[in-house]
């Protein structure tokens, strides 16, 4: 099959003040969620148009971007005078899927607190990521009939970087508000077989980073205290040395 000749669409008009991708080389997307979103797109999309979409995203051709339930819409400056409107569509969750999401959040200790703190647990990936046919789509007002065109691909890459900074945007994109999850969990009746939660499996306690006591030892304070009492300098030096040796033995 002959390769597409993208030159027929003309040279894109360069603009100032557009939204530029922060990642200037290599793969776009730093977090697990953004990488998974990009991976879902790259499995089904035309590789050549994706490459051009990254170039558009990095050069600031996307003038504006709006995210809402089910879609991300961007105004992208192409080769024509008026910008194109490119749309990345992600199907919103139905009531059954939202109920399943609430059930999973309810059954995992600490997950609701992580969500309230702005983090999106990876365990929710199977329920939130667009993996099935028909859950992900692209559209644009440009004349390119590729799927996606480079304009929609640019919006998708900028969406990935937005998710890096605001992971809960995945919830918004799927049409689920955080208040829905909180309300669903709060309204859930307590389990009748374990009312007091004696059998609840608690999350692991956070590991404190080890810091040797010597790093926090300030010998000057000890020197000042001993000298204030008229202690001989040789005794001061020996006391500091003995204390350091004691800390080493306690490690």
């Amino acid at each position: 099959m002959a390769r597409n000749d993208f030159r027929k669409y003309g040279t894109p008009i360069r603009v100032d003040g557009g939204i530029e991708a922060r990642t200037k080389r290599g793969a776009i997307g730093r977090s697990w969620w953004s990488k998974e979103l990009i991976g879902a797109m790259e499995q089904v999309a035309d590789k050549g148009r994706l490459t051009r979409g990254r170039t558009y995203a990095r050069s600031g051709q996307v003038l504006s971007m709006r995210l809402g339930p089910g879609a991300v819409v961007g105004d992208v400056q192409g080769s024509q005078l008026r910008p194109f409107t490119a749309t990345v569509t992600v199907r919103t969750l139905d009531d059954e899927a939202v109920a399943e999401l609430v059930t999973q959040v309810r059954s995992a200790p600490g997950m609701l607190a992580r969500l309230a703190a702005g983090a999106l647990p990876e365990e929710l990936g199977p329920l939130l990521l667009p993996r099935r046919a028909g859950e992900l789509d692209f559209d644009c007002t440009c004349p390119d009939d590729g799927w996606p065109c480079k304009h929609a691909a640019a919006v998708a890459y900028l969406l990935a970087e937005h998710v890096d900074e605001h992971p809960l945007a995945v919830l918004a994109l799927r049409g689920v508000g955080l208040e829905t999850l909180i309300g669903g969990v709060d309204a859930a009746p307590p389990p009748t077989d374990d009312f007091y939660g004696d059998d609840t499996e608690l999350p692991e306690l956070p590991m404190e980073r080890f810091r040797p006591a010597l790093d926090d030892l300030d010998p000057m304070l000890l020197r000042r205290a001993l000298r204030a009492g008229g202690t001989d300098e040789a005794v001061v030096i020996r006391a500091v040395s003995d204390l350091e040796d004691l800390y080493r033995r306690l490690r």
Side-chain angles (χ1 to χ4, degrees):
M1 184 171 62
R3 296 179 62 184
N4 291 299
D5 184 7
F6 295 96
R7 293 175 297 180
K8 65 183 178 182
Y9 298 117
T11 303
I13 300 172
R14 298 300 178 189
V15 296
D16 294 324
I19 306 172
E20 293 188 25
R22 295 182 297 275
T23 308
K24 297 304 181 183
R25 61 180 61 187
I28 290 181
R30 302 190 313 268
S31 68
W32 183 86
W33 283 97
S34 63
K35 290 177 181 178
E36 289 293 316
L37 284 172
I38 291 298
M41 177 181 67
E42 291 180 341
Q43 286 181 2
V44 298
D46 179 274
K47 306 304 181 188
R49 288 177 171 85
L50 291 181
T51 299
R52 290 169 177 81
R54 283 194 297 270
T55 301
Y56 265 52
R58 286 168 171 155
S59 60
Q61 295 299 113
V62 179
L63 304 177
S64 63
M65 193 169 72
R66 303 170 295 281
L67 186 151
V72 181
V73 181
D75 298 314
V76 187
Q77 182 62 61
S79 57
Q80 300 183 11
L81 292 178
R82 297 186 63 180
F84 301 119
T85 299
T87 305
V88 179
T89 303
V90 179
R91 182 180 298 171
T92 57
L93 299 183
D94 57 24
D95 292 342
E96 182 178 350
V98 173
E100 186 177 357
L101 189 65
V102 170
T103 299
Q104 183 159 344
V105 172
R106 181 193 309 162
S107 63
M111 185 175 288
L112 186 59
R114 291 160 65 188
L115 286 165
L120 192 60
E122 295 176 12
E123 300 93 312
L124 299 179
L127 297 176
L128 290 175
L129 289 168
R131 299 191 186 277
R132 294 186 292 271
E135 288 189 313
L136 181 65
D137 201 1
F138 306 93
D139 192 23
C140 187
T141 58
C142 75
D144 185 2
D145 58 359
W147 194 86
C149 68
K150 54 184 173 291
H151 312 106
V155 172
Y157 281 118
L158 290 178
L159 167 64
E161 286 205 336
H162 180 74
V163 169
D164 280 335
E165 301 297 325
H166 307 282
L168 295 186
V170 177
L171 285 178
L173 192 59
R174 289 297 239 166
V176 182
L178 182 59
E179 64 280 0
T180 300
L181 297 182
I182 295 175
V185 173
D186 288 345
T192 57
D193 57 342
D194 186 22
F195 184 83
Y196 293 103
D198 294 332
D199 298 327
T200 300
E201 184 178 347
L202 298 177
E204 294 290 334
L205 292 174
M207 295 294 295
E208 292 292 335
R209 189 174 64 177
F210 174 74
R211 181 180 176 89
L214 282 174
D215 292 350
D216 292 325
L217 178 63
D218 185 357
M220 290 304 300
L221 296 176
L222 180 59
R223 291 176 184 273
R224 290 172 183 168
L226 292 176
R227 284 174 182 157
T231 306
D232 184 82
E233 179 64 21
V235 176
V236 172
I237 294 174
R238 187 166 61 250
V240 172
S241 177
D242 290 345
L243 188 56
E244 290 180 342
D245 181 64
L246 176 61
Y247 274 138
R248 290 191 184 94
R249 291 175 182 271
L250 291 174
R251 290 171 62 177

mmCIF file of all heavy atoms in Angstrom, residues 21-23 27-39 41-42 54 57 65 67 72 88 152-167 169-170 173:
data_model
loop_
_atom_site.group_PDB
_atom_site.id
_atom_site.type_symbol
_atom_site.label_atom_id
_atom_site.label_comp_id
_atom_site.label_asym_id
_atom_site.label_seq_id
_atom_site.Cartn_x
_atom_site.Cartn_y
_atom_site.Cartn_z
ATOM 1 N N ALA A 21 3.974 20.651 24.849
ATOM 2 C CA ALA A 21 4.282 19.495 25.681
ATOM 3 C C ALA A 21 5.581 19.746 26.436
ATOM 4 O O ALA A 21 6.539 20.310 25.894
ATOM 5 C CB ALA A 21 4.417 18.241 24.814
ATOM 6 N N ARG A 22 5.617 19.338 27.701
ATOM 7 C CA ARG A 22 6.829 19.527 28.500
ATOM 8 C C ARG A 22 7.937 18.566 28.069
ATOM 9 O O ARG A 22 9.113 18.887 28.179
ATOM 10 C CB ARG A 22 6.504 19.313 29.983
ATOM 11 C CG ARG A 22 5.540 20.332 30.558
ATOM 12 C CD ARG A 22 5.305 20.086 32.041
ATOM 13 N NE ARG A 22 4.682 18.780 32.266
ATOM 14 C CZ ARG A 22 3.377 18.562 32.198
ATOM 15 N NH1 ARG A 22 2.548 19.560 31.908
ATOM 16 N NH2 ARG A 22 2.881 17.364 32.430
ATOM 17 N N THR A 23 7.549 17.384 27.588
ATOM 18 C CA THR A 23 8.523 16.380 27.167
ATOM 19 C C THR A 23 8.940 16.690 25.740
ATOM 20 O O THR A 23 8.135 16.581 24.814
ATOM 21 C CB THR A 23 7.913 14.964 27.236
ATOM 22 O OG1 THR A 23 7.348 14.764 28.532
ATOM 23 C CG2 THR A 23 8.966 13.912 26.977
ATOM 24 N N ALA A 27 9.502 9.335 24.746
ATOM 25 C CA ALA A 27 8.086 9.063 24.968
ATOM 26 C C ALA A 27 7.447 10.157 25.818
ATOM 27 O O ALA A 27 8.073 10.720 26.710
ATOM 28 C CB ALA A 27 7.912 7.706 25.643
ATOM 29 N N ILE A 28 6.195 10.463 25.529
ATOM 30 C CA ILE A 28 5.433 11.439 26.306
ATOM 31 C C ILE A 28 4.642 10.691 27.368
ATOM 32 O O ILE A 28 4.036 9.658 27.106
ATOM 33 C CB ILE A 28 4.501 12.255 25.405
ATOM 34 C CG1 ILE A 28 5.325 13.193 24.516
ATOM 35 C CG2 ILE A 28 3.503 13.063 26.230
ATOM 36 C CD1 ILE A 28 4.492 14.064 23.588
ATOM 37 N N GLY A 29 4.636 11.234 28.583
ATOM 38 C CA GLY A 29 3.925 10.606 29.689
ATOM 39 C C GLY A 29 4.885 10.018 30.699
ATOM 40 O O GLY A 29 5.705 9.165 30.359
ATOM 41 N N ARG A 30 4.781 10.470 31.970
ATOM 42 C CA ARG A 30 5.688 9.993 33.015
ATOM 43 C C ARG A 30 5.014 9.013 33.964
ATOM 44 O O ARG A 30 5.646 8.075 34.423
ATOM 45 C CB ARG A 30 6.216 11.182 33.846
ATOM 46 C CG ARG A 30 6.948 12.233 33.065
ATOM 47 C CD ARG A 30 7.621 13.229 34.017
ATOM 48 N NE ARG A 30 6.733 13.680 35.064
ATOM 49 C CZ ARG A 30 5.969 14.758 34.989
ATOM 50 N NH1 ARG A 30 5.955 15.479 33.884
ATOM 51 N NH2 ARG A 30 5.196 15.112 36.009
ATOM 52 N N SER A 31 3.758 9.238 34.269
ATOM 53 C CA SER A 31 3.081 8.408 35.271
ATOM 54 C C SER A 31 2.554 7.118 34.662
ATOM 55 O O SER A 31 2.464 6.961 33.436
ATOM 56 C CB SER A 31 1.920 9.193 35.895
ATOM 57 O OG SER A 31 0.889 9.405 34.934
ATOM 58 N N TRP A 32 2.191 6.188 35.539
ATOM 59 C CA TRP A 32 1.622 4.922 35.077
ATOM 60 C C TRP A 32 0.351 5.161 34.282
ATOM 61 O O TRP A 32 0.138 4.545 33.228
ATOM 62 C CB TRP A 32 1.340 4.027 36.288
ATOM 63 C CG TRP A 32 0.812 2.680 35.920
ATOM 64 C CD1 TRP A 32 1.533 1.565 35.598
ATOM 65 C CD2 TRP A 32 -0.576 2.291 35.826
ATOM 66 N NE1 TRP A 32 0.701 0.516 35.322
ATOM 67 C CE2 TRP A 32 -0.603 0.932 35.462
ATOM 68 C CE3 TRP A 32 -1.779 2.959 36.033
ATOM 69 C CZ2 TRP A 32 -1.786 0.226 35.277
ATOM 70 C CZ3 TRP A 32 -2.967 2.258 35.848
ATOM 71 C CH2 TRP A 32 -2.957 0.916 35.479
ATOM 72 N N TRP A 33 -0.494 6.067 34.745
ATOM 73 C CA TRP A 33 -1.773 6.313 34.084
ATOM 74 C C TRP A 33 -1.591 6.922 32.697
ATOM 75 O O TRP A 33 -2.247 6.514 31.739
ATOM 76 C CB TRP A 33 -2.639 7.226 34.954
ATOM 77 C CG TRP A 33 -3.248 6.508 36.104
ATOM 78 C CD1 TRP A 33 -2.797 6.452 37.389
ATOM 79 C CD2 TRP A 33 -4.418 5.687 36.071
ATOM 80 N NE1 TRP A 33 -3.607 5.662 38.169
ATOM 81 C CE2 TRP A 33 -4.608 5.175 37.389
ATOM 82 C CE3 TRP A 33 -5.327 5.338 35.083
ATOM 83 C CZ2 TRP A 33 -5.678 4.347 37.715
ATOM 84 C CZ3 TRP A 33 -6.393 4.506 35.406
ATOM 85 C CH2 TRP A 33 -6.557 4.025 36.707
ATOM 86 N N SER A 34 -0.706 7.909 32.569
ATOM 87 C CA SER A 34 -0.512 8.531 31.260
ATOM 88 C C SER A 34 0.109 7.552 30.273
ATOM 89 O O SER A 34 -0.251 7.515 29.094
ATOM 90 C CB SER A 34 0.361 9.785 31.389
ATOM 91 O OG SER A 34 1.657 9.456 31.863
ATOM 92 N N LYS A 35 1.031 6.717 30.754
ATOM 93 C CA LYS A 35 1.642 5.715 29.873
ATOM 94 C C LYS A 35 0.615 4.700 29.399
ATOM 95 O O LYS A 35 0.637 4.260 28.243
ATOM 96 C CB LYS A 35 2.791 5.020 30.606
ATOM 97 C CG LYS A 35 4.003 5.911 30.837
ATOM 98 C CD LYS A 35 5.069 5.173 31.631
ATOM 99 C CE LYS A 35 6.286 6.071 31.879
ATOM 100 N NZ LYS A 35 7.314 5.390 32.693
ATOM 101 N N GLU A 36 -0.302 4.313 30.285
ATOM 102 C CA GLU A 36 -1.336 3.365 29.898
ATOM 103 C C GLU A 36 -2.303 3.980 28.885
ATOM 104 O O GLU A 36 -2.739 3.314 27.941
ATOM 105 C CB GLU A 36 -2.108 2.894 31.133
ATOM 106 C CG GLU A 36 -1.320 1.973 32.049
ATOM 107 C CD GLU A 36 -1.013 0.634 31.400
ATOM 108 O OE1 GLU A 36 -1.923 0.049 30.772
ATOM 109 O OE2 GLU A 36 0.147 0.190 31.513
ATOM 110 N N LEU A 37 -2.644 5.258 29.057
ATOM 111 C CA LEU A 37 -3.515 5.931 28.095
ATOM 112 C C LEU A 37 -2.855 6.010 26.726
ATOM 113 O O LEU A 37 -3.483 5.739 25.695
ATOM 114 C CB LEU A 37 -3.862 7.332 28.596
ATOM 115 C CG LEU A 37 -4.905 7.435 29.716
ATOM 116 C CD1 LEU A 37 -4.986 8.861 30.231
ATOM 117 C CD2 LEU A 37 -6.275 6.974 29.213
ATOM 118 N N ILE A 38 -1.579 6.395 26.708
ATOM 119 C CA ILE A 38 -0.853 6.468 25.444
ATOM 120 C C ILE A 38 -0.731 5.078 24.833
ATOM 121 O O ILE A 38 -0.884 4.889 23.616
ATOM 122 C CB ILE A 38 0.539 7.078 25.664
ATOM 123 C CG1 ILE A 38 0.411 8.566 26.021
ATOM 124 C CG2 ILE A 38 1.407 6.911 24.420
ATOM 125 C CD1 ILE A 38 -0.223 9.411 24.949
ATOM 126 N N GLY A 39 -0.476 4.070 25.673
ATOM 127 C CA GLY A 39 -0.364 2.706 25.174
ATOM 128 C C GLY A 39 -1.646 2.230 24.516
ATOM 129 O O GLY A 39 -1.618 1.561 23.477
ATOM 130 N N MET A 41 -3.846 4.069 23.023
ATOM 131 C CA MET A 41 -3.980 4.752 21.744
ATOM 132 C C MET A 41 -3.009 4.172 20.711
ATOM 133 O O MET A 41 -3.371 3.927 19.559
ATOM 134 C CB MET A 41 -3.717 6.251 21.923
ATOM 135 C CG MET A 41 -3.761 7.036 20.631
ATOM 136 S SD MET A 41 -3.427 8.793 20.854
ATOM 137 C CE MET A 41 -1.701 8.755 21.357
ATOM 138 N N GLU A 42 -1.783 3.936 21.118
ATOM 139 C CA GLU A 42 -0.770 3.484 20.173
ATOM 140 C C GLU A 42 -1.031 2.069 19.667
ATOM 141 O O GLU A 42 -0.492 1.668 18.643
ATOM 142 C CB GLU A 42 0.612 3.568 20.820
ATOM 143 C CG GLU A 42 1.056 5.016 21.048
ATOM 144 C CD GLU A 42 2.418 5.120 21.697
ATOM 145 O OE1 GLU A 42 2.867 4.119 22.306
ATOM 146 O OE2 GLU A 42 3.033 6.208 21.614
ATOM 147 N N ARG A 54 2.893 14.048 17.977
ATOM 148 C CA ARG A 54 3.870 14.425 19.010
ATOM 149 C C ARG A 54 4.583 15.716 18.636
ATOM 150 O O ARG A 54 4.830 16.580 19.479
ATOM 151 C CB ARG A 54 4.876 13.293 19.222
ATOM 152 C CG ARG A 54 4.353 12.135 20.031
ATOM 153 C CD ARG A 54 5.480 11.230 20.495
ATOM 154 N NE ARG A 54 6.181 10.616 19.378
ATOM 155 C CZ ARG A 54 5.851 9.459 18.824
ATOM 156 N NH1 ARG A 54 4.820 8.782 19.294
ATOM 157 N NH2 ARG A 54 6.544 8.955 17.813
ATOM 158 N N ALA A 57 2.259 18.556 19.276
ATOM 159 C CA ALA A 57 2.125 18.806 20.712
ATOM 160 C C ALA A 57 3.352 19.533 21.251
ATOM 161 O O ALA A 57 3.241 20.415 22.115
ATOM 162 C CB ALA A 57 1.918 17.495 21.454
ATOM 163 N N MET A 65 -7.427 23.587 25.083
ATOM 164 C CA MET A 65 -7.889 22.221 25.327
ATOM 165 C C MET A 65 -8.900 22.235 26.453
ATOM 166 O O MET A 65 -8.702 22.909 27.464
ATOM 167 C CB MET A 65 -6.695 21.319 25.676
ATOM 168 C CG MET A 65 -7.003 19.832 25.657
ATOM 169 S SD MET A 65 -5.497 18.815 25.766
ATOM 170 C CE MET A 65 -5.058 19.115 27.483
ATOM 171 N N LEU A 67 -11.417 19.632 28.830
ATOM 172 C CA LEU A 67 -11.686 18.254 29.244
ATOM 173 C C LEU A 67 -13.022 18.197 29.963
ATOM 174 O O LEU A 67 -13.308 19.009 30.834
ATOM 175 C CB LEU A 67 -10.562 17.745 30.158
ATOM 176 C CG LEU A 67 -10.603 16.278 30.584
ATOM 177 C CD1 LEU A 67 -9.179 15.771 30.820
ATOM 178 C CD2 LEU A 67 -11.413 16.069 31.868
ATOM 179 N N VAL A 72 -12.111 15.010 25.316
ATOM 180 C CA VAL A 72 -11.167 16.118 25.401
ATOM 181 C C VAL A 72 -11.184 16.798 24.034
ATOM 182 O O VAL A 72 -10.977 16.137 23.005
ATOM 183 C CB VAL A 72 -9.737 15.640 25.720
ATOM 184 C CG1 VAL A 72 -8.796 16.833 25.826
ATOM 185 C CG2 VAL A 72 -9.721 14.843 27.003
ATOM 186 N N VAL A 88 -10.832 13.865 21.261
ATOM 187 C CA VAL A 88 -10.505 12.509 21.716
ATOM 188 C C VAL A 88 -11.653 12.075 22.617
ATOM 189 O O VAL A 88 -11.920 12.696 23.640
ATOM 190 C CB VAL A 88 -9.177 12.477 22.496
ATOM 191 C CG1 VAL A 88 -8.872 11.057 22.977
ATOM 192 C CG2 VAL A 88 -8.030 12.990 21.631
ATOM 193 N N ALA A 152 -5.704 15.339 16.330
ATOM 194 C CA ALA A 152 -6.283 14.608 17.455
ATOM 195 C C ALA A 152 -5.199 13.908 18.265
ATOM 196 O O ALA A 152 -5.291 13.825 19.499
ATOM 197 C CB ALA A 152 -7.302 13.590 16.940
ATOM 198 N N ALA A 153 -4.170 13.411 17.582
ATOM 199 C CA ALA A 153 -3.064 12.763 18.295
ATOM 200 C C ALA A 153 -2.353 13.765 19.200
ATOM 201 O O ALA A 153 -1.967 13.438 20.332
ATOM 202 C CB ALA A 153 -2.082 12.152 17.300
ATOM 203 N N ALA A 154 -2.179 14.999 18.729
ATOM 204 C CA ALA A 154 -1.538 16.032 19.549
ATOM 205 C C ALA A 154 -2.348 16.292 20.816
ATOM 206 O O ALA A 154 -1.795 16.419 21.916
ATOM 207 C CB ALA A 154 -1.390 17.323 18.741
ATOM 208 N N VAL A 155 -3.673 16.347 20.679
ATOM 209 C CA VAL A 155 -4.540 16.549 21.853
ATOM 210 C C VAL A 155 -4.404 15.372 22.815
ATOM 211 O O VAL A 155 -4.352 15.544 24.047
ATOM 212 C CB VAL A 155 -6.004 16.726 21.405
ATOM 213 C CG1 VAL A 155 -6.940 16.737 22.614
ATOM 214 C CG2 VAL A 155 -6.160 18.014 20.612
ATOM 215 N N ALA A 156 -4.314 14.155 22.280
ATOM 216 C CA ALA A 156 -4.189 12.966 23.131
ATOM 217 C C ALA A 156 -2.879 12.987 23.919
ATOM 218 O O ALA A 156 -2.846 12.632 25.102
ATOM 219 C CB ALA A 156 -4.265 11.704 22.274
ATOM 220 N N TYR A 157 -1.795 13.412 23.287
ATOM 221 C CA TYR A 157 -0.508 13.470 23.983
ATOM 222 C C TYR A 157 -0.518 14.543 25.078
ATOM 223 O O TYR A 157 0.036 14.346 26.165
ATOM 224 C CB TYR A 157 0.627 13.727 22.995
ATOM 225 C CG TYR A 157 1.037 12.494 22.235
ATOM 226 C CD1 TYR A 157 0.914 12.428 20.855
ATOM 227 C CD2 TYR A 157 1.532 11.369 22.903
ATOM 228 C CE1 TYR A 157 1.283 11.288 20.154
ATOM 229 C CE2 TYR A 157 1.899 10.231 22.206
ATOM 230 C CZ TYR A 157 1.772 10.199 20.834
ATOM 231 O OH TYR A 157 2.140 9.062 20.148
ATOM 232 N N LEU A 158 -1.162 15.666 24.808
ATOM 233 C CA LEU A 158 -1.263 16.699 25.837
ATOM 234 C C LEU A 158 -2.184 16.255 26.971
ATOM 235 O O LEU A 158 -1.979 16.625 28.124
ATOM 236 C CB LEU A 158 -1.764 18.007 25.227
ATOM 237 C CG LEU A 158 -0.770 18.725 24.305
ATOM 238 C CD1 LEU A 158 -1.398 19.990 23.730
ATOM 239 C CD2 LEU A 158 0.523 19.064 25.043
ATOM 240 N N LEU A 159 -3.187 15.453 26.640
ATOM 241 C CA LEU A 159 -4.034 14.866 27.682
ATOM 242 C C LEU A 159 -3.189 13.996 28.610
ATOM 243 O O LEU A 159 -3.359 14.041 29.833
ATOM 244 C CB LEU A 159 -5.146 14.024 27.050
ATOM 245 C CG LEU A 159 -5.919 13.099 28.003
ATOM 246 C CD1 LEU A 159 -6.671 13.910 29.052
ATOM 247 C CD2 LEU A 159 -6.868 12.194 27.222
ATOM 248 N N ALA A 160 -2.273 13.212 28.044
ATOM 249 C CA ALA A 160 -1.407 12.354 28.856
ATOM 250 C C ALA A 160 -0.580 13.188 29.824
ATOM 251 O O ALA A 160 -0.446 12.836 31.007
ATOM 252 C CB ALA A 160 -0.498 11.531 27.954
ATOM 253 N N GLU A 161 -0.030 14.298 29.363
ATOM 254 C CA GLU A 161 0.756 15.146 30.263
ATOM 255 C C GLU A 161 -0.135 15.805 31.312
ATOM 256 O O GLU A 161 0.311 16.034 32.443
ATOM 257 C CB GLU A 161 1.514 16.210 29.456
ATOM 258 C CG GLU A 161 2.688 15.652 28.686
ATOM 259 C CD GLU A 161 3.743 16.697 28.401
ATOM 260 O OE1 GLU A 161 3.408 17.908 28.368
ATOM 261 O OE2 GLU A 161 4.910 16.332 28.215
ATOM 262 N N HIS A 162 -1.368 16.104 30.951
ATOM 263 C CA HIS A 162 -2.300 16.661 31.938
ATOM 264 C C HIS A 162 -2.584 15.640 33.038
ATOM 265 O O HIS A 162 -2.657 15.991 34.224
ATOM 266 C CB HIS A 162 -3.599 17.070 31.241
ATOM 267 C CG HIS A 162 -4.627 17.664 32.156
ATOM 268 N ND1 HIS A 162 -4.521 18.939 32.682
ATOM 269 C CD2 HIS A 162 -5.783 17.134 32.675
ATOM 270 C CE1 HIS A 162 -5.575 19.182 33.461
ATOM 271 N NE2 HIS A 162 -6.335 18.106 33.483
ATOM 272 N N VAL A 163 -2.717 14.384 32.651
ATOM 273 C CA VAL A 163 -2.962 13.319 33.627
ATOM 274 C C VAL A 163 -1.751 13.139 34.535
ATOM 275 O O VAL A 163 -1.902 12.775 35.712
ATOM 276 C CB VAL A 163 -3.316 12.004 32.898
ATOM 277 C CG1 VAL A 163 -3.305 10.815 33.852
ATOM 278 C CG2 VAL A 163 -4.688 12.126 32.238
ATOM 279 N N ASP A 164 -0.540 13.387 34.021
ATOM 280 C CA ASP A 164 0.646 13.337 34.877
ATOM 281 C C ASP A 164 0.500 14.269 36.069
ATOM 282 O O ASP A 164 0.889 13.923 37.196
ATOM 283 C CB ASP A 164 1.900 13.744 34.078
ATOM 284 C CG ASP A 164 2.440 12.607 33.226
ATOM 285 O OD1 ASP A 164 2.191 11.437 33.570
ATOM 286 O OD2 ASP A 164 3.111 12.898 32.224
ATOM 287 N N GLU A 165 -0.035 15.451 35.834
ATOM 288 C CA GLU A 165 -0.185 16.453 36.895
ATOM 289 C C GLU A 165 -1.500 16.312 37.648
ATOM 290 O O GLU A 165 -1.575 16.643 38.835
ATOM 291 C CB GLU A 165 -0.098 17.867 36.287
ATOM 292 C CG GLU A 165 1.211 18.156 35.569
ATOM 293 C CD GLU A 165 2.404 18.105 36.504
ATOM 294 O OE1 GLU A 165 2.247 18.499 37.679
ATOM 295 O OE2 GLU A 165 3.482 17.666 36.075
ATOM 296 N N HIS A 166 -2.527 15.825 36.976
ATOM 297 C CA HIS A 166 -3.869 15.733 37.586
ATOM 298 C C HIS A 166 -4.456 14.351 37.283
ATOM 299 O O HIS A 166 -5.328 14.217 36.402
ATOM 300 C CB HIS A 166 -4.782 16.828 37.036
ATOM 301 C CG HIS A 166 -4.211 18.206 37.135
ATOM 302 N ND1 HIS A 166 -4.200 18.927 38.319
ATOM 303 C CD2 HIS A 166 -3.596 18.994 36.210
ATOM 304 C CE1 HIS A 166 -3.626 20.103 38.107
ATOM 305 N NE2 HIS A 166 -3.244 20.163 36.854
ATOM 306 N N PRO A 167 -4.018 13.320 37.999
ATOM 307 C CA PRO A 167 -4.482 11.959 37.692
ATOM 308 C C PRO A 167 -5.981 11.766 37.814
ATOM 309 O O PRO A 167 -6.559 10.929 37.118
ATOM 310 C CB PRO A 167 -3.717 11.095 38.698
ATOM 311 C CG PRO A 167 -3.252 12.035 39.775
ATOM 312 C CD PRO A 167 -3.040 13.344 39.104
ATOM 313 N N ALA A 169 -8.123 13.417 36.599
ATOM 314 C CA ALA A 169 -8.754 13.760 35.327
ATOM 315 C C ALA A 169 -9.266 12.521 34.612
ATOM 316 O O ALA A 169 -10.211 12.597 33.819
ATOM 317 C CB ALA A 169 -7.757 14.501 34.424
ATOM 318 N N VAL A 170 -8.672 11.367 34.892
ATOM 319 C CA VAL A 170 -9.158 10.111 34.314
ATOM 320 C C VAL A 170 -10.578 9.837 34.798
ATOM 321 O O VAL A 170 -11.436 9.381 34.033
ATOM 322 C CB VAL A 170 -8.218 8.944 34.679
ATOM 323 C CG1 VAL A 170 -8.768 7.635 34.139
ATOM 324 C CG2 VAL A 170 -6.817 9.199 34.135
ATOM 325 N N LEU A 173 -12.863 12.192 32.950
ATOM 326 C CA LEU A 173 -13.008 11.772 31.562
ATOM 327 C C LEU A 173 -13.986 10.614 31.433
ATOM 328 O O LEU A 173 -14.720 10.510 30.446
ATOM 329 C CB LEU A 173 -11.629 11.366 31.020
ATOM 330 C CG LEU A 173 -11.488 11.163 29.519
ATOM 331 C CD1 LEU A 173 -11.844 12.433 28.766
ATOM 332 C CD2 LEU A 173 -10.070 10.723 29.175
#
